[in-house]
């Protein structure tokens, strides 16, 4: 937000430059310079973790002043146009057009939001920009208003575009129904389908066109079902010689080529043997577990998004992988039940890849209290956020008040992966053992 306000105060720069400064603040640097910036930021995060562990009475500082060695940032194989998923907003543009499709400059709190077209964004592929431009053309033709503030009415809302290396393109359009009846809604869906199948939008060659009627900021499929207007219900991606089916709201790493590098490293860090059981927490459509299934005796995946679990089971069957089981539900409800009575003598390795909100406390407690888990890989795109709380919960001394009876973990290695070139973000893999 601070960057957004600062960039808005540069009158000499174009709106495109302001947007690039907000969304991809490292875009002016060479890629080697970007990697160095990210290394320094990850080092500061580890310094914070080291200090917090020291506050808990843990002698965490190792040679180099950190709680564990920090490797150099692993570069992304693709630097430009790497995103396989982009979310575009609808709002007023710099010219006042309330039906501009793009990305935000400014903040809601400051009431200075401007929606700027993403045509010059280096991290977004041309196909995503093409679909966004066509969607803008469609809603500009529509007599219905865009929905900028829910209570002020309007209908047309954000657009999500997903693409794969297989050449598939999925578009998901969010629409606020307001007071429209079913007949009027059916008319809008028919017009949208006609535009993208037979009209100017046909140039996008969409594999899937979805429509979601949503009265909330973000809705899951269970809250507001994704309605398939045209094409296939799924798109497909290939990763590490496996084929993956992707539903509209399923999580998939935003940088496919970078994800391959990440998952290969995770496989090495697991040090799995033929009798290892891999616990894949927040497994999404099963990418990590399935890519490592050939190394282990069994994979157990847990994921809250039901459709993603359906994808994971399909992906396992399609790829001929039979040693995986996937559980749908919140990890804090499923995992304690799975681990409470764990008596399997095989070594158990956990890989967790939660959202920015981190792991629920009950998940951390279940991991801590399961003696069979001696090795844990935590993958985080925001380790300075809620994940930091998880790190401390994993490493703190046993605490009966918090029901943390298990032996504490210790961080032994940190490896950042650049899955987000031009931005300040990294995917940090922290290896914990006990």
């Amino acid at each position: 937000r601070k960057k957004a306000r600062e960039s808005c105060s540069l009158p000499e720069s174009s709106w495109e430059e302001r947007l690039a400064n907000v969304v991809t603040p490292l875009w002016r640097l060479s890629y080697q310079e970007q990697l160095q910036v990210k290394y320094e930021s990850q080092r500061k995060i580890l310094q914070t973790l080291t200090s917090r562990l020291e506050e808990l009475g843990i002698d965490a500082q190792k040679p180099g002043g950190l709680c564990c060695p920090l490797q150099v940032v692993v570069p992304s194989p693709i630097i430009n146009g790497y995103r396989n998923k982009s979310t575009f907003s609808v709002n007023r543009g710099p010219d006042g057009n309330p039906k501009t499709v793009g990305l935000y400059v400014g903040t809601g709190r400051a009431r200075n939001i401007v929606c700027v077209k993403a045509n010059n964004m280096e991290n977004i592929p041309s196909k995503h920009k093409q679909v966004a431009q066509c969607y803008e053309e469609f809603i500009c033709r529509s007599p219905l208003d865009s929905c900028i503030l829910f209570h002020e009415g309007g209908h047309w809302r954000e657009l999500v575009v997903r693409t794969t290396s297989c050449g598939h393109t999925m578009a998901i359009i969010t629409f606020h129904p307001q007071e429209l009846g079913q007949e009027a809604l059916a008319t809008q869906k028919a017009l949208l389908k006609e535009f993208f199948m037979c009209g100017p939008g046909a140039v996008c060659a969409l594999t899937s066109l979805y429509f979601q009627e949503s009265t909330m900021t973000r809705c899951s499929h269970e809250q507001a079902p994704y309605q398939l207007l045209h094409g296939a219900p799924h798109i497909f991606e290939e990763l590490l010689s496996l084929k993956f089916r992707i539903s509209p709201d399923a999580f998939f790493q935003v940088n496919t080529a970078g994800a391959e590098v990440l998952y290969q490293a995770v496989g090495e860090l697991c040090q799995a043997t033929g009798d290892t059981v891999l616990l894949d927490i927040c497994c999404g459509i099963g990418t990590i577990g399935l890519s490592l299934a050939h190394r282990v005796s069994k994979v157990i995946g847990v994921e809250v998004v039901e459709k993603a679990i359906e994808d994971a089971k399909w992906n396992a069957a399609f790829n001929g992988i039979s040693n995986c089981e996937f559980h749908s539900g919140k990890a804090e409800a499923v995992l304690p039940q799975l681990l409470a009575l764990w008596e399997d003598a095989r070594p158990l390795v956990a890989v967790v890849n939660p959202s920015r909100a981190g792991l629920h406390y009950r998940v951390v407690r279940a991991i801590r209290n399961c003696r069979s888990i001696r090795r844990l890989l935590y993958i985080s795109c925001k380790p300075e956020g809620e994940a930091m709380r998880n790190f401390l919960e994993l490493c703190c001394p046993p605490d009966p008040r918090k029901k943390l009876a298990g032996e504490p973990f210790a961080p032994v290695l940190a490896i950042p992966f650049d899955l987000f070139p031009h931005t300040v973000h990294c995917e940090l893999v922290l290896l914990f053992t006990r």
Side-chain angles (χ1 to χ4, degrees), residues 199-383:
V203 297
C204 299
L206 295 182
T207 309
S208 310
L209 175 61
Y210 274 97
F211 184 85
Q212 187 185 40
E213 299 166 30
S214 172
T215 59
M216 296 183 282
T217 304
R218 289 285 167 88
C219 283
S220 66
H221 173 75
E222 287 72 32
Q223 293 168 316
Y226 291 95
Q227 303 170 46
L228 182 64
L229 300 187
H230 176 80
H234 308 93
I235 54 176
F236 295 86
E237 183 57 282
E238 292 180 0
L239 187 143
L240 295 175
S241 302
L242 299 176
K243 189 170 184 177
F244 291 94
R245 186 179 90 172
I246 303 173
S247 292
D249 59 344
F251 171 78
F252 194 90
Q253 283 286 2
V254 77
N255 180 338
T256 305
E260 286 196 314
V261 176
L262 171 65
Y263 296 160
Q264 284 174 323
V266 167
E268 297 299 325
L269 291 169
C270 281
Q271 291 188 356
T273 59
D275 62 344
T276 300
V277 176
L278 178 68
L279 190 58
D280 187 3
I281 304 169
C282 310
C283 68
I285 62 173
T287 45
I288 294 177
L290 292 171
S291 65
L292 302 183
H294 66 288
R295 295 175 179 237
V296 300
S297 62
K298 186 177 183 179
V299 173
I300 302 174
V302 179
E303 168 62 42
V304 67
V305 179
E306 281 186 38
K307 288 292 181 181
I309 286 294
E310 290 178 18
D311 287 342
K313 291 177 178 178
W314 186 95
N315 292 332
F318 182 84
N319 290 286
I321 299 172
S322 58
N323 63 337
C324 297
E325 64 179 55
F326 296 100
H327 300 264
S328 174
K330 292 182 178 180
E332 61 266 29
V334 175
L335 196 65
Q337 292 181 343
L338 278 173
L339 297 182
L341 302 175
W342 189 268
E343 294 180 349
D344 197 314
R346 291 175 292 183
L348 183 58
V349 176
V351 176
V352 300
N353 186 19
S355 67
R356 293 187 175 192
L359 294 174
H360 192 282
Y361 176 71
R362 288 203 294 269
V363 175
V364 177
R365 189 171 66 192
I367 292 171
R368 275 284 301 257
N369 294 345
C370 180
R371 295 179 181 178
S372 298
I373 301 176
R374 315 300 297 175
R375 199 171 187 86
L376 167 70
L377 275 87
Y378 195 121
I379 305 170
S380 175
C381 62
K382 194 177 181 183

Side-chain angles (χ1 to χ4, degrees), residues 98-119:
K99 292 183 175 180
T100 301
V101 176
L103 306 176
Y104 285 160
V105 173
T107 68
R109 182 178 296 178
R111 297 185 179 180
N112 63 348
I113 285 179
V114 178
C115 195
V116 182
K117 293 183 182 183
N119 295 340

